[in-house]
Amino acid sequence: MNPHDPTGVSARLATHRPQTLTAPAGFETATYAKVTLRLLPFLFICYVAAYLDRVNVGFAKLQMLSDLKFSESVYGLGAGIFFIGYFVFEVPSNILLHRVGARVWISRIMVTWAIVSAASVFVKSPGTFYALRFLLGIAEAGFFPGIVLYLTYWYPSMRRGRMNALFMIGIPVAGVLGGPLSGWIMQAFNGVRGLSNWQWLFLLEAIPSLVLGVITPFVLPNGIRAASWLDDRQKQLLEGNIACDAHAGAEASLKSIVSNGRVWQLAAVYFCCMMGLYGVSFYLPTLIKAAGVKDALDVGFLAAVPYAVAIVSMILVARSSDRRNERRWHLATAAVAAAVGLYASTLHTGNLAFVLITLSLGTAGVLSMMPVFWTYPSSVLSGTAAAAGIAMINSIGNLAGFVSPSIIGWMKDATHSTNAGLIVVALALLAGAVLTLTQSAASASVTAASGASRA
């Protein structure tokens, strides 16, 4: 198998396209159901573990700042510096995944980030906090865009909105599960064996990532040809459907990707989306505590509410987007809803019910943007160009993970409130909606045409 062509599509394009077009609908549906059942649950669990390790610092903050005498600005910078390492190493990481295969590279990513996350128990000073967060970014670089790329090896564009949603609901599920879990660890383990509760949080929540990383090579095939659980007819169907999309994506050099204005515009939209996501992720426990909730376990359970709402919203929006073959208005509407929710949450910060409702709207809007957004890059790029382009968009967009908590932390030190920072985040989301509506309709029409060709 050519490592630069994991699906084997390039060599079999002409052979399998006619077979795909005449495949019975029931056989195609059953084949994709089989693929989804074999791949998505494991990828989903991996993403839950990844996101938990990325944002558990938001719960650790509840005690860590007072233990270590850190200011809000130190926390904001430390939370955000993760994304500098992430930015620097993401494009090379995704290109390597495309070349050496998903199994080995995803395993490497997960094992190294688990080790670095667990090492956070040794944080004693701002310098060590910054260094470990930077190393965590390096370790995790390539995981998310690598999975987005990996899904393009299996699913044509007309199915990717739903598949992206099934994978990306790992974010809100991490919130639903991680909130109560983190709250319980913070409450139950304080002082055990001489470690503070936030140290136990980093240590215990690294274990799932380590275990998953070790078993990844035994679970994930590199592509369709390597899937022993598919018969030849099923492989031909899947490869043929990917081949039908091949005309929509263009191979390109890394230099041409970097100079592509459309890729930069997509990166700008994603940056605005990530401003909202990390504003919520790193400060949701703080916002709930500020509404009058003091017990760490109660904060954990209440923090699960906005994420639970977001799970439903992500699935419904992605399904609607796929069914209508429409991306821009779904994405822009979700961005506006997120902006409205986050801004409204600043109006009555002492009213817990109001804060939960508005933060639920904001969180649902932000997270509903993601699966719809990620149908764009894979519609206009393929092969190594897709690997580099997806990674570039994700790495630039995730710089918002540095900007958003840094701004909120700095403004909280200056104003003694998170409100000003949340308003800045809401404005960024509105800018994302405007940028989305200025996008060319090319990607949406590509997706629609791809769907029509198999109708």
Side-chain angles (χ1 to χ4, degrees), residues 16-29:
H16 299 316
R17 185 177 294 172
Q19 293 169 325
T20 301
L21 296 175
T22 58
F27 175 71
E28 180 168 352
T29 299

Side-chain angles (χ1 to χ4, degrees), residues 135-414:
L135 289 174
L136 186 62
I138 293 174
E140 194 181 322
F143 177 77
F144 174 81
I147 300 301
V148 172
L149 176 66
Y150 183 67
L151 292 176
T152 70
Y153 298 160
W154 297 86
Y155 297 97
S157 57
M158 68 177 293
R159 293 179 179 269
R160 285 178 200 152
R162 284 164 288 176
M163 294 307 106
N164 287 344
L166 288 175
F167 167 58
M168 293 175 195
I169 59 173
I171 297 176
V173 168
V176 170
L177 299 179
L181 175 63
S182 297
W184 174 73
I185 292 172
M186 293 285 287
Q187 185 179 71
F189 282 81
N190 194 28
V192 174
R193 295 189 179 274
L195 296 178
S196 184
N197 51 10
W198 59 269
Q199 292 174 306
W200 278 109
L201 184 68
F202 286 125
L203 185 62
L204 294 177
E205 291 188 351
I207 294 173
S209 296
L210 182 62
V211 173
L212 290 166
V214 170
I215 67 175
T216 291
F218 304 99
V219 177
L220 288 186
N222 279 332
I224 294 169
R225 278 289 118 186
S228 60
W229 36 269
L230 292 172
D231 61 34
D232 287 341
R233 189 175 173 220
Q234 290 170 328
K235 290 176 182 178
Q236 290 173 0
L237 169 72
L238 297 172
E239 290 167 352
N241 282 351
I242 298 297
C244 285
D245 270 357
H247 70 283
E251 282 281 3
S253 67
L254 180 59
K255 181 179 178 180
S256 67
I257 294 299
V258 173
S259 62
N260 189 318
R262 183 167 179 78
V263 171
W264 283 98
Q265 189 176 18
L266 287 170
V269 173
Y270 196 56
F271 181 93
C272 295
C273 174
M274 293 297 96
M275 283 287 289
L277 177 63
Y278 291 114
V280 170
S281 299
F282 290 129
Y283 280 92
L284 184 59
T286 299
L287 295 172
I288 291 174
K289 185 176 181 180
V293 181
K294 301 304 180 184
D295 184 79
L297 186 58
D298 290 341
V299 171
F301 278 111
L302 291 171
V305 173
Y307 288 113
V309 174
I311 292 172
V312 178
S313 174
M314 288 178 76
I315 294 173
L316 292 179
V317 172
R319 283 182 177 176
S320 175
S321 177
D322 275 356
R323 186 169 60 251
R324 292 173 172 80
N325 285 313
E326 196 288 320
R327 310 300 182 188
R328 289 189 298 167
W329 283 102
H330 283 81
L331 186 57
T333 301
V336 171
V340 170
L342 293 184
Y343 170 73
S345 71
T346 67
L347 300 179
H348 300 287
T349 54
N351 186 323
L352 178 60
F354 182 82
V355 167
L356 276 179
I357 291 170
T358 53
L359 287 177
S360 294
L361 174 62
T363 304
V366 167
L367 289 169
S368 295
M369 294 174 69
M370 293 185 64
V372 177
F373 172 85
W374 281 111
T375 62
Y376 273 107
S378 57
S379 294
V380 296
L381 299 168
S382 66
T384 304
I390 288 170
M392 177 178 162
I393 290 167
N394 192 59
S395 61
I396 293 172
N398 269 286
L399 284 177
F402 173 77
V403 175
S404 183
S406 297
I407 287 177
I408 296 175
W410 175 75
M411 287 189 168
K412 186 173 183 183
D413 275 342

Side-chain angles (χ1 to χ4, degrees), residues 32-90:
Y32 277 109
K34 184 176 185 179
V35 171
T36 300
L37 186 62
R38 291 299 295 257
L39 297 182
L40 266 296
F42 183 74
L43 295 175
F44 167 80
I45 292 170
C46 289
Y47 196 34
V48 170
Y51 203 77
L52 194 61
D53 281 346
R54 183 186 300 186
V55 303
N56 58 12
V57 69
F59 272 92
K61 171 182 182 288
L62 299 177
Q63 184 64 37
M64 185 172 67
L65 266 62
S66 60
D67 282 359
L68 301 179
K69 305 299 187 290
F70 286 178
S71 69
E72 291 283 346
S73 297
V74 167
Y75 167 76
L77 180 58
I81 207 168
F82 166 96
F83 296 97
I84 302 301
Y86 198 86
F87 172 79
V88 172
F89 286 90
E90 189 158 13

